[in-house]
PDB file of all heavy atoms in Angstrom:
ATOM      1  N   ASP A   8      28.958 -64.243-123.321  1.00 98.00           N
ATOM      2  CA  ASP A   8      30.054 -64.157-122.372  1.00 98.00           C
ATOM      3  C   ASP A   8      29.731 -64.993-121.160  1.00 98.00           C
ATOM      4  O   ASP A   8      28.579 -65.028-120.715  1.00 98.00           O
ATOM      5  CB  ASP A   8      30.287 -62.696-121.958  1.00 98.00           C
ATOM      6  CG  ASP A   8      31.713 -62.439-121.479  1.00 98.00           C
ATOM      7  OD1 ASP A   8      32.182 -63.158-120.533  1.00 98.00           O
ATOM      8  OD2 ASP A   8      32.364 -61.532-122.016  1.00 98.00           O
ATOM      9  N   ASP A   9      30.738 -65.745-120.644  1.00 97.00           N
ATOM     10  CA  ASP A   9      30.459 -66.545-119.475  1.00 97.00           C
ATOM     11  C   ASP A   9      30.453 -65.714-118.185  1.00 97.00           C
ATOM     12  O   ASP A   9      30.056 -66.200-117.155  1.00 97.00           O
ATOM     13  CB  ASP A   9      31.469 -67.722-119.365  1.00 97.00           C
ATOM     14  CG  ASP A   9      32.919 -67.250-119.320  1.00 97.00           C
ATOM     15  OD1 ASP A   9      33.202 -66.177-119.911  1.00 97.00           O
ATOM     16  OD2 ASP A   9      33.746 -67.909-118.686  1.00 97.00           O
ATOM     17  N   SER A  10      30.882 -64.484-118.282  1.00 97.00           N
ATOM     18  CA  SER A  10      30.877 -63.639-117.084  1.00 97.00           C
ATOM     19  C   SER A  10      29.579 -62.810-117.017  1.00 97.00           C
ATOM     20  O   SER A  10      29.242 -62.052-117.928  1.00 97.00           O
ATOM     21  CB  SER A  10      32.071 -62.683-117.116  1.00 97.00           C
ATOM     22  OG  SER A  10      31.768 -61.525-116.346  1.00 97.00           O
ATOM     23  N   ASP A  52      32.735 -63.248-126.602  1.00 97.00           N
ATOM     24  CA  ASP A  52      33.895 -63.467-125.721  1.00 97.00           C
ATOM     25  C   ASP A  52      34.754 -64.572-126.328  1.00 97.00           C
ATOM     26  O   ASP A  52      34.298 -65.352-127.180  1.00 97.00           O
ATOM     27  CB  ASP A  52      33.381 -63.864-124.343  1.00 97.00           C
ATOM     28  CG  ASP A  52      34.509 -64.064-123.342  1.00 97.00           C
ATOM     29  OD1 ASP A  52      35.586 -63.473-123.491  1.00 97.00           O
ATOM     30  OD2 ASP A  52      34.297 -64.841-122.368  1.00 97.00           O
ATOM     31  N   TRP A  53      36.014 -64.651-125.912  1.00 96.00           N
ATOM     32  CA  TRP A  53      36.889 -65.703-126.455  1.00 96.00           C
ATOM     33  C   TRP A  53      36.839 -66.957-125.545  1.00 96.00           C
ATOM     34  O   TRP A  53      36.388 -68.003-125.956  1.00 96.00           O
ATOM     35  CB  TRP A  53      38.339 -65.162-126.530  1.00 96.00           C
ATOM     36  CG  TRP A  53      39.271 -66.045-127.293  1.00 96.00           C
ATOM     37  CD1 TRP A  53      39.634 -67.329-126.958  1.00 96.00           C
ATOM     38  CD2 TRP A  53      39.902 -65.769-128.516  1.00 96.00           C
ATOM     39  NE1 TRP A  53      40.478 -67.835-127.906  1.00 96.00           N
ATOM     40  CE2 TRP A  53      40.668 -66.895-128.895  1.00 96.00           C
ATOM     41  CE3 TRP A  53      39.921 -64.641-129.383  1.00 96.00           C
ATOM     42  CZ2 TRP A  53      41.444 -66.946-130.047  1.00 96.00           C
ATOM     43  CZ3 TRP A  53      40.707 -64.710-130.527  1.00 96.00           C
ATOM     44  CH2 TRP A  53      41.456 -65.849-130.847  1.00 96.00           C
ATOM     45  N   ASN A  54      37.278 -66.769-124.301  1.00 95.00           N
ATOM     46  CA  ASN A  54      37.350 -67.905-123.386  1.00 95.00           C
ATOM     47  C   ASN A  54      36.009 -68.167-122.695  1.00 95.00           C
ATOM     48  O   ASN A  54      35.537 -67.358-121.927  1.00 95.00           O
ATOM     49  CB  ASN A  54      38.393 -67.643-122.319  1.00 95.00           C
ATOM     50  CG  ASN A  54      39.807 -67.831-122.864  1.00 95.00           C
ATOM     51  OD1 ASN A  54      40.108 -68.820-123.545  1.00 95.00           O
ATOM     52  ND2 ASN A  54      40.645 -66.853-122.631  1.00 95.00           N
ATOM     53  N   MET A  55      35.437 -69.328-123.047  1.00 97.00           N
ATOM     54  CA  MET A  55      34.179 -69.709-122.391  1.00 97.00           C
ATOM     55  C   MET A  55      34.159 -71.224-122.279  1.00 97.00           C
ATOM     56  O   MET A  55      34.720 -71.908-123.135  1.00 97.00           O
ATOM     57  CB  MET A  55      32.966 -69.243-123.243  1.00 97.00           C
ATOM     58  CG  MET A  55      32.779 -67.728-123.277  1.00 97.00           C
ATOM     59  SD  MET A  55      31.409 -67.268-124.354  1.00 97.00           S
ATOM     60  CE  MET A  55      32.043 -67.682-125.957  1.00 97.00           C
ATOM     61  N   LYS A 104      39.164 -55.844-124.265  1.00 89.00           N
ATOM     62  CA  LYS A 104      38.667 -55.456-122.955  1.00 89.00           C
ATOM     63  C   LYS A 104      39.792 -54.801-122.160  1.00 89.00           C
ATOM     64  O   LYS A 104      40.944 -55.204-122.351  1.00 89.00           O
ATOM     65  CB  LYS A 104      38.186 -56.695-122.183  1.00 89.00           C
ATOM     66  CG  LYS A 104      36.811 -57.219-122.649  1.00 89.00           C
ATOM     67  CD  LYS A 104      36.507 -58.484-121.856  1.00 89.00           C
ATOM     68  CE  LYS A 104      35.280 -59.182-122.383  1.00 89.00           C
ATOM     69  NZ  LYS A 104      35.179 -60.576-121.913  1.00 89.00           N
TER      70      LYS A 104
HETATM   71 MG1   MG C 302      35.294 -65.465-120.626  1.00 89.92          MG
END
Side-chain angles (χ1 to χ4, degrees):
Chain A
D8 204 305
D9 57 330
S10 153
D52 183 26
W53 191 296
N54 285 311
M55 291 176 292
K104 284 177 187 163

